[in-house]
Amino acid sequence: QVQLVESGGGLVEAGGSLRLSCAASERTFRFHTMGWFRQAPGKEREFVAAIRWTAGSTYYADSVKGRFTISRDNAKNTVYLQMNSLKPGDTAVYYCALRTIIAPDYNYWGQGTQVTVSS
């Protein structure tokens, strides 16, 4: 079992920035993809961003393109989500997820970190 621990959430004003971190409990040899998802109250969980671990290819939801950047640090077993120009609509619990090789879909999830953007 891989443990994923998110951090960096908090309360910010609209237009501000936050950087979320997700630290994994093991080395990245079998990491395929890591992603960020979010879930707002009363809404379904939605995809935010993902990075393919080996190639570094990144993918973003249209709603965050140009504002959010996903990156990784292999030495730290960590993925980041830099969030700029935050909007109240970005308010949600943000979850880090890992898809390991062979697995058909994301198979590990963090506990979530709250991001609240005030008007």
Side-chain angles (χ1 to χ4, degrees), residues 86-105:
L86 283 162
K87 305 173 181 179
D90 296 318
T91 295
V93 177
Y94 283 70
Y95 296 92
C96 173
L98 166 66
R99 177 189 172 188
T100 56
I101 57 174
I102 301 177
D105 205 348

Side-chain angles (χ1 to χ4, degrees), residues 46-77:
E46 65 174 335
F47 169 79
V48 175
I51 185 166
R52 294 192 63 168
W53 202 261
T54 300
S57 304
T58 58
Y59 308 87
Y60 298 94
D62 288 342
S63 60
V64 305
K65 284 182 178 178
R67 300 189 298 122
F68 291 10
T69 303
I70 189 170
S71 62
R72 59 169 169 21
D73 187 332
N74 186 59
K76 297 181 179 180
N77 307 334

Side-chain angles (χ1 to χ4, degrees), residues 1-2 5 7 36 49 52 85 87 98 100 109:
Q1 286 271 352
V2 180
V5 180
S7 61
W36 289 94
R52 294 192 63 168
S85 302
K87 305 173 181 179
L98 166 66
T100 56
W109 295 82

Side-chain angles (χ1 to χ4, degrees), residues 39-43 91-93 114:
Q39 186 168 27
K43 297 183 178 180
T91 295
V93 177
Q114 177 71 47

